[in-house]
Amino acid sequence: MELHQLRYLVSVVDEGSFTAAADHEHVSQSGVSAQVAKLERELGQALLHRGPRSLRLTAAGEAVLPLARAVLAGVAQIREVADDVSGLAVGRVRLGMIRGCSIPPFLDAVAGFGCEHPGVELVLSEADSDDLQLQVAAGALDLALVGYADRVGEGLAVRVVVDERCAVAVPADHRLASLPRVRLGDLVGETLIALSPGTGARSAFDRSCASARVDLRVALSASSPTTVLGLARRGAGVAVLSASMGADDELVVRDIDDATTHARLGLVSREGRQSTAASELMERLVAALG
């Protein structure tokens, strides 16, 4: 059994296919497939059900996967400890970011870190916030920028950079634009446009509706705030986002007064010790976003 076999297994599961795993690992698909098959032969158990269009873990695979993640995380920590002894920002940092993230200070900080620390391999990946939290908790990512509501997952530490109410954004001639205050009840009967489930602003809105016992359903979902606002500008409905996301020169933004669950943006990492490089990047990002 070799480390790269475990790494390929984890990559296949995380990426969803042998092809995507091969792209992620920068090796051939046949190489990934052969090494996973070799691991299965050594263990005497099939770890993956290989279907024509999908794959899933077997019972043995479900049992082995968390152990493989733990081994890889332990090896990474050994490297980090050795790097820290030298006092240099070297090694590898795996940074996750919200899908479609285009926040200029965040991108500036990431680019600046890469230029100042050429010895650090910076690996970026995009996903929905809920998935990013799971990847950080499992050790697949060192830190991630996520949107969330209330609190982050168990075993995670968070540095909050935005904490605000949900809001609506509508054209100036919309009836909601003339209201001095907007409440959840005012949205009944409106076509609502929001971010996809699994994002912080959407979770905050859904939980606020449940807490207030107001039955509202999102008619249109999109993965990008730009798309949500673009649809609202074109009269497709009422955009529901966090207050800062709703800022738009062509739309009127109103906080939802009784949306009690706030939308938060934060940088998450596993609780406990981080490598020098990951800690430096974290501080740079917090300063930039703050």
Side-chain angles (χ1 to χ4, degrees):
M1 186 184 306
E2 300 181 20
L3 286 176
H4 68 273
Q5 294 172 338
L6 300 179
R7 190 173 73 250
Y8 290 171
L9 172 66
V10 171
S11 188
V12 168
V13 174
D14 288 345
E15 300 298 323
S17 71
F18 283 96
T19 300
D23 289 341
H24 183 265
E25 297 292 335
H26 305 294
V27 295
S28 67
Q29 179 180 340
S30 60
V32 173
S33 181
Q35 290 302 316
V36 172
K38 183 178 179 181
L39 176 62
E40 290 176 315
R41 288 195 299 272
E42 290 179 6
L43 296 176
Q45 295 280 350
L47 302 177
L48 296 168
H49 288 297
R50 296 161 174 80
R53 294 184 180 179
S54 64
L55 57 84
R56 58 187 175 85
L57 288 165
T58 64
E62 293 280 3
V64 166
L65 183 65
L67 299 176
R69 291 191 190 279
V71 169
L72 294 173
V75 171
Q77 190 172 10
I78 290 172
R79 292 195 181 101
E80 291 165 2
V81 169
D83 292 340
D84 288 348
V85 170
S86 70
L88 300 175
V90 295
R92 188 186 199 206
V93 180
R94 300 156 300 173
L95 172 64
M97 55 187 179
I98 304 165
R99 198 182 303 279
C101 176
S102 59
I103 303 171
F106 177 83
L107 300 179
D108 290 344
V110 172
F113 180 86
C115 291
E116 291 183 22
H117 300 288
V120 176
E121 180 188 2
L122 188 55
V123 182
L124 302 177
S125 61
E126 289 185 317
D128 292 334
S129 291
D130 287 354
D131 186 34
L132 289 172
Q133 290 192 53
L134 292 174
Q135 290 188 55
V136 174
L141 293 173
D142 298 300
L143 59 150
L145 178 69
V146 303
Y148 66 101
D150 285 336
R151 61 183 63 86
V152 296
E154 186 177 351
L156 297 178
V158 62
R159 302 281 292 275
V160 181
V161 293
V162 174
D163 184 335
E164 57 191 8
R165 286 185 183 278
C166 292
V168 296
V170 294
D173 60 355
H174 194 282
R175 70 173 185 88
L176 293 177
S178 63
L179 297 180
R181 302 172 62 199
V182 172
R183 298 177 65 83
L184 290 168
D186 296 323
L187 305 182
V188 174
E190 295 286 351
T191 299
L192 302 182
I193 313 168
L195 293 175
S196 304
T199 58
R202 177 65 179 272
S203 295
F205 178 68
D206 289 345
R207 293 184 189 183
S208 292
C209 291
S211 178
R213 297 185 179 179
V214 178
D215 186 16
L216 296 174
R217 289 184 174 84
V218 174
L220 300 172
S221 297
S223 60
S224 165
T226 302
T227 303
V228 172
L229 294 172
L231 290 170
R233 282 197 300 271
R234 291 163 175 78
V238 175
V240 180
L241 295 161
S242 63
S244 63
M245 284 182 184
D248 186 284
D249 293 340
E250 300 180 40
L251 299 173
V252 175
V253 180
R254 294 281 186 268
D255 285 355
I256 304 175
D257 281 1
D258 56 343
T260 55
T261 301
H262 284 202
R264 296 184 172 96
L265 189 68
L267 289 154
V268 296
S269 60
R270 281 174 293 169
E271 292 179 342
R273 187 179 177 282
Q274 283 186 305
S275 70
T276 298
S279 296
E280 286 193 24
L281 179 57
M282 171 72 85
E283 295 306 321
R284 182 185 288 263
L285 291 172
V286 169
L289 294 168

